[in-house]
Amino acid sequence: MIKKIGQQIIIGMLFALVFAFPTTIFAHTQLEMSSPKEGETVTTELKDVSLQFNTNIEKLSSFKIIHESKQEVPLDQTTIEGNTMTRHIMDGTALENGTYTVEWRIVGKDGHPIEGKYDFVVDIKAKEPVTETNAKEPEIADQEGAEPKETPEVTSETASGNQANTESDINQTGTNNIWIYFVVGIVIILIVAGVGRGMTRRKK
C-alpha cells in the first residue's frame, strides 16, 4: 500500500514538472538565421530586419528593436511567411549609431510561446559636408598640375637686334625729314623768284 502511494506521488510530480515547464520540454522552434546577424556591425542604411526559424511560426509572432538608449525603433506591421518574419523600419527613420537589441516572441508549431533576443551594432560614418574651401581644392590642384606657359626668353642678341632696328628707324625718319625740308625750301625759292620777276616787269 505504501509502495503504491509512493509511486503515485512520483508520477504526480512528473506530471507537475511537465505542465510547469512546457516551453522547456516542447519548445523545439529555434532562431536559425537573422538579418542583421547577431553581433554584426551595420555600416549602411538599414531598411528592414528579418528572422528565420527552423519551423513554421504562427501569425501572433512578432519582434521589436530597441536602441541602447532604451528608445524603441518605429516599425511597420510584421509580415510572416512560413518560418520567416520581417518588419520594415518606418520611412524617414534613420538609425543612430550604437547597439540595438532585437527582442522576439513567437508562437511555435506546437502552440507554445518562445522568446529570445540578440544584439547588433550600427556604425555609419557621417558624410563630410561640402564647403567652399573643399570645392576650391580640386580647382587649385588643377592649377598646380597645369604646365606653366612659356615666356619668350630675352637674350642679348635679341636686345641688340631690337636696338639696331630702332636706330635704323630713327635714321630713316631723319632722312625723310631732310628731304621734306629740301623740297619745301626749293618751292619757297621758286615762289620768291617768281614774285621778283613780276615786280621787275611792272616797273619797266
Side-chain angles (χ1 to χ4, degrees):
M1 183 71 179
I2 296 176
K3 187 176 181 179
K4 285 185 177 181
I5 293 174
Q7 290 177 349
Q8 290 176 357
I9 292 174
I10 292 173
I11 293 172
M13 291 177 65
L14 290 174
F15 273 106
L17 289 172
V18 169
F19 286 105
F21 303 99
T23 303
T24 304
I25 296 177
F26 295 106
H28 299 293
T29 304
Q30 297 178 357
L31 180 64
E32 278 192 336
M33 297 176 60
S34 63
S35 177
K37 298 178 182 179
E38 182 175 3
E40 180 180 352
T41 299
V42 179
T43 57
T44 58
E45 182 182 1
L46 187 64
K47 295 183 178 181
D48 52 56
V49 175
S50 62
L51 308 179
Q52 182 177 330
F53 298 84
N54 61 341
T55 62
N56 289 345
I57 56 179
E58 299 298 327
K59 298 295 183 181
L60 295 176
S61 304
S62 185
F63 66 87
K64 59 184 178 180
I65 304 174
I66 302 175
H67 186 252
E68 59 185 19
S69 62
K70 308 302 180 183
Q71 184 176 1
E72 187 172 343
V73 177
L75 303 173
D76 286 339
Q77 293 186 357
T78 306
T79 301
I80 297 176
E81 296 181 355
N83 64 341
T84 303
M85 65 175 171
T86 303
R87 296 193 73 177
H88 296 278
I89 298 173
M90 295 287 289
D91 293 339
T93 302
L95 298 185
E96 299 178 358
N97 289 345
T99 302
Y100 289 81
T101 301
V102 179
E103 296 182 356
W104 53 268
R105 177 182 175 87
I106 66 168
V107 178
K109 189 175 181 180
D110 52 17
H112 291 91
I114 307 171
E115 298 179 354
K117 62 182 179 180
Y118 75 91
D119 298 335
F120 67 89
V121 177
V122 172
D123 185 13
I124 301 176
K125 295 182 179 180
K127 295 181 179 179
E128 184 179 354
V130 178
T131 61
E132 185 177 355
T133 303
N134 294 336
K136 289 183 178 180
E137 285 180 356
E139 182 180 350
I140 295 174
D142 292 341
Q143 292 178 356
E144 291 178 352
E147 295 182 358
K149 295 183 179 179
E150 294 183 358
T151 304
E153 184 179 357
V154 179
T155 62
S156 57
E157 295 180 357
T158 305
S160 300
N162 293 337
Q163 184 177 0
N165 292 334
T166 303
E167 292 178 354
S168 177
D169 293 338
I170 294 173
N171 292 334
Q172 185 174 0
T173 302
T175 304
N176 293 335
N177 291 336
I178 292 172
W179 278 105
I180 292 172
Y181 294 150
F182 179 75
V183 172
V184 171
I186 292 175
V187 170
I188 292 173
I189 292 172
L190 292 175
I191 292 173
V192 171
V195 171
R197 289 180 180 179
M199 292 178 65
T200 304
R201 289 177 181 177
R202 288 180 181 176
K203 289 179 178 180
K204 290 181 179 181

